[in-house]
Amino acid sequence: MNMPILTGIVDRFEEDIAVIELNTGKILNVPKFLLETDIEPGDSIYRGPPDDSGYHTHSQPIWKLDAAATKKSREQVQELVRDVMKQEEKKGKEQ
């Protein structure tokens, strides 16, 4: 059974709901119990495959952490912040 993998980023938590921005740009609200417990806002996640029966079980989280994508995303954000800081510093010296 080949299901397309959904990916997204956890935008925030609202009580027991996780607000996820999917890679398609759509927003999805899901109960937090469907996420692995160590997931935080800003983490990249993916919808894990079902078990061998083709179904998700209640004992397994459906949304899982994509550690590599989270690390890459955070590094890109840090690089953007450094670039902005350099530009602001350069503007300050020119004035």
Side-chain angles (χ1 to χ4, degrees), residues 19-61:
V19 180
I20 302 169
E21 183 176 347
L22 299 175
N23 58 330
T24 61
K26 294 186 179 190
I27 301 296
L28 181 66
N29 296 323
V30 300
K32 280 175 66 173
F33 74 85
L34 295 176
L35 279 66
E36 288 181 321
T37 57
D38 57 344
I39 291 175
E40 301 176 353
D43 284 345
S44 295
I45 59 175
Y46 66 96
R47 187 171 185 263
D51 64 16
D52 293 336
S53 69
Y55 297 97
H56 286 284
T57 64
H58 292 292
S59 63
Q60 295 178 324

Side-chain angles (χ1 to χ4, degrees), residues 1-85:
M1 170 181 246
N2 283 343
M3 293 178 56
I5 295 178
L6 285 177
T7 61
I9 295 177
V10 178
D11 182 60
R12 65 188 178 279
F13 294 125
E14 294 181 355
E15 296 184 19
D16 293 335
I17 300 295
V19 180
I20 302 169
E21 183 176 347
L22 299 175
N23 58 330
T24 61
K26 294 186 179 190
I27 301 296
L28 181 66
N29 296 323
V30 300
K32 280 175 66 173
F33 74 85
L34 295 176
L35 279 66
E36 288 181 321
T37 57
D38 57 344
I39 291 175
E40 301 176 353
D43 284 345
S44 295
I45 59 175
Y46 66 96
R47 187 171 185 263
D51 64 16
D52 293 336
S53 69
Y55 297 97
H56 286 284
T57 64
H58 292 292
S59 63
Q60 295 178 324
I62 293 175
W63 290 91
K64 300 180 181 197
L65 177 66
D66 185 339
T70 297
K71 181 180 178 196
K72 182 178 179 180
S73 176
R74 289 189 176 155
E75 288 171 350
Q76 289 172 335
V77 168
Q78 289 174 345
E79 184 65 31
L80 288 171
V81 169
R82 281 192 292 273
D83 288 348
V84 168
M85 296 296 283

Side-chain angles (χ1 to χ4, degrees), residues 79-95:
E79 184 65 31
L80 288 171
V81 169
R82 281 192 292 273
D83 288 348
V84 168
M85 296 296 283
K86 286 179 186 176
Q87 290 175 5
E88 290 298 317
E89 186 178 303
K90 188 177 179 180
K91 281 183 186 178
K93 289 180 180 179
E94 291 175 355
Q95 292 179 348

